[in-house]
Amino acid sequence: MSKPVFSFEFFPPQTSEGVERLAATRKQLALLKPAFFSVTFGAGGSTRERTLETVQQIKAEGYTAAPHLSCIGSTRENVRAILETYRNLGINRIVALRGDLPSGMATTGAFQYANELVSFIRAQTGDHFHIEVASYPEIHPQAKSAGSDLVNFKRKVDAGANSAITQYFYNADSYFRFVDECHKQGVTVPIVPGIMPIVKFTQLARFSDACGAEIPRWMRKTMEGFGDDNDAIQSFGLDVVTRLCERLLSGGAPGLHFYTLNHAAPSVAIWKRLGLST
Ligand SMILES: Cc1cc2nc3c(=O)[nH]c(=O)nc-3n(C[C@H](O)[C@H](O)[C@H](O)COP(=O)(O)OP(=O)(O)OC[C@H]3O[C@@H](n4cnc5c(N)ncnc54)[C@H](O)[C@@H]3O)c2cc1C
């Protein structure tokens, strides 16, 4: 089996303090020698410049950067220009997404679904980019059914995606079942689990409600029982997420992608517990 691929995701900071904090976070996480750092792209292109700046900073520090690019609400010219900029910067990994239409934005633009973006990237830039796409072991919230979501995931791979990163989840079985279903459909690209460390229960519950990632009832009830005791929540979260990662890696997951929310400590704590090398 090939070596697991580890990566960390950031969002582009809005303030100069945020930029400094993220640089410090990167410094700590770089010690773990990840394959790449990815940088999100705000809905409707709202972070276009800041995503680019963050990517440039990562590149200047000598690390591999993988910008996210969401297509909803964009024109072809816009996306072409962004791809050109990244290509000229020597970026060769990209996370291609549909994104969600920001409230108030009426038009979907030139692309309706991520598979169209993947096809466009391949048509414009050939094999230059390693293209990652999103996948949903617990099913995308807008999908009509698990089956149609799988068909739509396959469309992205058939359009030229090289690998996938999943939405986060806390039930390892949902991941293994999803991977099995993909294999049955002939989809064999690496599907890297997205890992969300647990830091604050209320924030996690809000994210999970929005993106359709399930917090199992027993976890929700346990964390609710801790009330405002954040130390207890974090210690519980560290146990649960470490066990999840152990199961995923021992069950053959090709790596782990950490949603860091721009903090190093929660990912580093899991990393140490897992006994991964630096
Ligand atoms: C790893 C990861 C990173 C992310 N990064 C960002 C980010 O940086 N910025 C951001 O705004 N959002 C990001 N998101 C969130 C993502 O944009 C949302 O989940 C969005 O709702 C779906 O994006 P997608 O690329 O999965 O869409 P798609 O693959 O297009 O799927 C969206 C929905 O449409 C259905 N569908 C897909 N193709 C078709 C088709 N051809 N015909 C009919 N139905 C179809 C699918 O079943 C699904 O329900 C990320 C998500 C993940 C998992």
Side-chain angles (χ1 to χ4, degrees), residues 40-41 68 97-100 114 136 140 143 149 152 156 259:
T40 62
F41 188 83
H68 295 207
L97 303 143
R98 183 195 72 175
D100 294 306
Y136 302 85
H140 186 266
D149 209 27
N152 292 328
K156 298 194 274 195
Y259 295 107

